[in-house]
Amino acid sequence: MSQPRLLGGRYELDGVIGRGGMAEVYRARDLRLDRMVAVKTLRHDLARDHTFQARFRREAQSAASLNHPSIIAVYDTGEDMVDGVSIPFIVMEYVDGRTLKELLDDDRRLLPERCAEIADGILRALEYSHRNGIVHRDIKPANVMLTRQAEVKVMDFGIARSMDDNQATMTQTSQVIGTAQYLSPEQARGERVDARSDIYSTGCVLYELLTGRPPFTGDSPVSIAYQHVREEPVPPGDIDPEIPEWLEDITLRAMAKDREERYQSADEMRQDIQRGVQGMPTSAAAMAAAGATTAMDPVDDGRDDGYDDYEEERRGSGKKAGLWIALALAVIAAAGVLVWMFQQDPPETTAVPDVVNMSQSEAEQKLRADGFENIKAEEENSDDVDEGNVIRTDPGAGREVRADTEITLFVSTGPGSVEVPDVTGMSQSDAVAELQDAGFKIGGPHSETSSAVDRGNVTRTSPEGGATADPGSKVDMWVSTGPEKVKVPDLAGMTRDQAESALRERGLSGSFSEEESDEPEGRVIRQSPGSGSEVDPDSTVNVVIAKKKPDEQPPETPTPPDNGDNGDNGDGTPGFPPGFGDGGDHSGDDQGTPWWEYPFRGRP
């Protein structure tokens, strides 16, 4: 039975739980913090592509800078060597749930109000993202998850961009674009995107949740992109008459072609959804009504006025025709780029043969027989492979690459003549001095977190201590930056169970207390350290939960003295019920009156 793959010396991969165009996602266990995580790795065949490398790094940077309950958290990033290729990975919060795409693929129809709640969750994440200057640019059902507790989690900031990034357009040939079914018109035209582009995509997702199908479909991404620019979607109510009119108005306003006519922020759209859910008038309905009034024909009070209106309309139609022509030219230009991106035939590839332990000449002969002509060789010490034989190749064996790819053979020169000193645990300066005294050059130093080695001391070297290498060769060195810090999550408004779960996912614990407050009972009102603070693993976060203030009690009514006759008080007023205070019968008086009807305060 094969051993589970260990990534970065810390993350034990369990199995693939998702695949995308450029990455694979694994369920894994963080051995250091003993918790389940999701690990996203760049596909092996794309690891050498600088475009995908840049996108992968950007996703890690964008998502790691966002700390919100509706955004999947990023815990760690790193790289791992696989077949001589450095594969980057991102360690994320593991969410037990399903994507909206999976629900739609199963033809799971949701109530309109539930669709509105999901859209509200997406908008919460976007509101926070936009406030931090990041546009997602790829909101779609596959990038939104629902947990078992029906919480919304937005993920995949792979093509996210800063709002002040002047290159944040769609049609650059070096960029990966958003998904065609959820593309905003400005993205399709190759214009610069902003937060309102995410609003449009959210409107498309809401449309599909309500109707069970995307707003536009076609034979190719180009035709779908053209519809986003040129055509209006079929109103959701025409597909399903049970969709409330207010929710249809909100959906269509979010999908307005002109971004000036859309909601101008995620918060604005959220507030309109909340008004609609509560039965209040929405701004989208008001705008729809105003648009319908403007579109009505004016009253013709006379022949001359009517003729003037006709001439004005004719001139206006000419201007509109010119605008449509300009727009069509822009779409054609963008479509040319899309055609190039989507319809290029992929180049033919061949798997790199396994030539490990072959002599250099045999390896070169084998590579040429498989069609590879661009071959070079580099020498390297090896304690395990005989001198003159191949240690490994770059790209590694089994990789599918084009025939003109350069193949590097690493050829063994046999064991080195000098033993590498073991400098693990030494300070960086002492380690450098010892390695240089032994005749080696220093590679790095590289940094990595470590809870076992003090900050500034050496965690490992390559070749490792005790191995042999030639004098003058390079020894790479890694230096500890101390234990990995953990970001404290934002617990505001959570229940105690939710807060404990959020802390546990980060490897933290909570110390809970209660405090009387006007805030909703049972919800977090304060925490220390605050949200976003970086603390050591296993740290404790002090959490204060709101407790309902006690109701004011009315003043106690004085109790009349018992005259002992259990009937009246001697002045015509009723006395206490029979047996009260003496262990007697509490069933009532001689007339059968139950005890609870006697005029006293509190049960005996």
Side-chain angles (χ1 to χ4, degrees):
M1 182 177 178
S2 60
Q3 291 293 321
R5 179 180 165 195
L6 195 62
L7 204 63
R10 172 175 177 179
Y11 303 105
E12 187 178 80
L13 303 188
D14 184 6
V16 176
I17 56 176
R19 285 189 173 91
M22 75 166 193
E24 295 175 326
V25 181
Y26 296 84
R27 185 174 182 267
R29 177 169 293 281
D30 181 347
L31 299 180
R32 182 179 300 172
L33 298 180
D34 192 25
R35 63 178 176 184
M36 298 309 300
V37 294
V39 177
K40 185 174 187 176
T41 67
L42 186 61
R43 275 173 37 193
H44 195 282
D45 57 316
L46 302 177
R48 292 187 175 278
D49 189 309
H50 296 298
T51 300
F52 289 101
Q53 287 271 9
R55 176 182 171 183
F56 204 81
R57 285 195 299 270
R58 187 162 63 246
E59 175 177 0
Q61 292 166 358
S62 298
S65 66
L66 301 174
N67 180 24
H68 189 271
S70 295
I71 297 175
I72 288 186
V74 169
Y75 298 148
D76 190 15
T77 61
E79 294 185 359
D80 201 62
M81 296 297 293
V82 178
D83 294 331
V85 179
S86 179
I87 306 292
F89 63 85
I90 303 172
V91 182
M92 305 177 295
E93 169 188 7
Y94 175 72
V95 176
D96 186 10
R98 304 183 73 191
T99 66
L100 293 186
K101 183 179 186 304
E102 291 171 327
L103 292 175
L104 290 166
D105 289 345
D106 290 346
D107 198 24
R108 297 286 299 276
R109 299 298 296 275
L110 302 173
L111 292 172
E113 292 75 12
R114 182 66 184 124
C115 298
E117 291 175 7
I118 293 173
D120 183 87
I122 297 171
L123 292 165
R124 276 200 305 270
L126 291 177
E127 179 186 350
Y128 180 82
S129 169
H130 295 163
R131 194 164 64 241
N132 285 271
I134 294 175
V135 183
H136 189 286
R137 302 204 310 159
D138 197 19
I139 293 295
K140 59 184 179 181
N143 285 340
V144 179
M145 290 198 72
L146 281 180
T147 69
R148 291 188 180 275
Q149 292 75 38
E151 297 171 333
V152 173
K153 294 276 189 179
V154 175
M155 59 184 174
D156 196 350
F157 283 75
I159 61 173
R161 288 278 189 169
S162 169
M163 289 185 189
D164 57 6
D165 187 346
N166 292 325
Q167 303 301 317
T169 65
M170 183 206 73
T171 57
Q172 292 169 276
T173 56
S174 63
Q175 298 299 329
V176 181
I177 66 169
T179 306
Q181 282 87 350
Y182 314 96
L183 212 59
S184 68
E186 55 269 23
Q187 282 177 287
R189 290 192 296 263
E191 299 172 358
R192 187 168 180 270
V193 303
D194 59 22
R196 294 169 294 182
S197 303
D198 284 345
I199 300 297
Y200 184 93
S201 299
T202 304
C204 293
V205 172
L206 179 55
Y207 185 104
E208 188 170 359
L209 288 172
L210 291 169
T211 65
R213 70 188 196 192
F216 301 112
T217 57
D219 296 332
S220 70
V222 174
S223 66
I224 297 172
Y226 184 82
Q227 293 176 71
H228 279 292
V229 174
R230 189 73 162 77
E231 299 181 7
E232 295 296 334
V234 176
D238 291 359
I239 301 172
D240 184 354
E242 294 184 3
I243 297 173
E245 186 175 353
W246 65 266
L247 193 51
E248 176 182 289
D249 292 336
I250 287 175
T251 305
L252 295 179
R253 182 183 175 189
M255 294 177 60
K257 305 296 183 189
D258 184 351
R259 65 178 104 185
E260 296 296 332
E261 296 179 2
R262 291 177 213 151
Y263 294 102
Q264 299 299 292
S265 69
D267 184 55
E268 184 184 356
M269 185 173 175
R270 275 195 68 207
Q271 290 180 13
D272 224 16
I273 288 176
Q274 290 166 3
R275 281 192 290 266
V277 169
Q278 295 168 11
M280 300 169 60
T282 64
S283 63
M287 288 189 66
T293 301
T294 305
M296 290 175 63
D297 291 334
V299 176
D300 186 1
D301 292 329
R303 187 184 64 182
D304 292 339
D305 290 341
Y307 179 79
D308 292 340
D309 290 343
Y310 170 76
E311 287 296 316
E312 183 64 30
E313 181 179 351
R314 189 162 63 96
R315 288 193 294 270
S317 296
K319 292 179 181 178
K320 290 180 180 177
L323 289 174
W324 280 119
I325 291 171
L327 179 59
L329 291 173
V331 171
I332 291 170
V337 177
L338 285 168
V339 169
W340 181 87
M341 294 178 68
F342 286 102
Q343 298 184 352
Q344 285 282 327
D345 291 331
E348 293 186 3
T349 60
T350 305
V352 177
D354 185 359
V355 296
V356 173
N357 275 321
M358 291 185 184
S359 68
Q360 181 178 341
S361 60
E362 290 174 334
E364 290 178 352
Q365 185 178 357
K366 174 64 174 172
L367 288 167
R368 289 192 176 93
D370 285 13
F372 297 102
E373 295 291 340
N374 191 4
I375 305 169
K376 73 171 186 178
E378 291 186 8
E379 293 183 338
E380 188 176 285
N381 290 125
S382 174
D383 294 336
D384 303 317
V385 178
D386 293 341
E387 183 177 355
N389 287 357
V390 175
I391 304 169
R392 67 182 188 281
T393 61
D394 184 17
R399 280 282 308 280
E400 291 281 343
V401 297
R402 292 175 10 174
D404 60 356
T405 301
E406 181 181 78
I407 308 294
T408 302
L409 298 174
F410 291 88
V411 181
S412 172
T413 58
S417 56
V418 178
E419 183 175 317
V420 177
D422 185 359
V423 295
T424 303
M426 291 185 181
S427 67
Q428 181 179 334
S429 56
D430 289 346
V432 169
E434 182 153 344
L435 289 169
Q436 288 177 339
D437 288 345
F440 296 105
K441 296 177 182 178
I442 308 301
H446 313 287
S447 299
E448 65 180 6
T449 59
S450 174
S451 56
V453 178
D454 292 339
R455 180 184 179 89
N457 289 358
V458 176
T459 58
R460 58 190 172 98
T461 61
S462 179
E464 63 185 10
T468 57
D470 288 337
S473 61
K474 183 177 69 174
V475 175
D476 284 305
M477 182 168 62
W478 281 261
V479 177
S480 170
T481 58
E484 179 187 16
K485 296 291 184 178
V486 178
K487 278 191 176 182
V488 178
D490 184 0
L491 307 177
M494 292 185 181
T495 64
R496 174 166 181 159
D497 287 345
Q498 291 171 336
E500 286 179 334
S501 176
L503 292 171
R504 189 163 52 248
E505 288 175 356
R506 303 287 178 94
L508 304 172
S509 59
S511 175
F512 293 85
S513 61
E514 293 184 336
E515 181 180 293
E516 293 179 0
S517 172
D518 293 327
E519 297 297 321
E521 185 178 10
R523 299 283 176 170
V524 175
I525 57 175
R526 194 167 60 254
Q527 68 183 82
S528 177
S531 168
S533 302
E534 292 192 346
V535 299
D536 292 331
D538 300 323
S539 295
T540 299
V541 178
N542 297 311
V543 183
V544 180
I545 304 287
K547 182 172 69 173
K548 184 179 179 181
K549 291 183 176 179
D551 296 331
E552 292 188 5
Q553 300 292 333
E556 293 286 338
T557 302
T559 302
D562 187 358
N563 62 6
D565 62 5
N566 292 323
D568 60 40
N569 292 324
D571 58 2
T573 60
F576 285 100
F580 180 81
D582 60 4
D585 181 10
H586 288 219
S587 61
D589 58 13
D590 292 340
Q591 287 72 39
T593 304
W595 65 264
W596 55 83
E597 292 186 6
Y598 281 88
F600 63 90
R601 187 174 183 276
R603 180 172 176 171

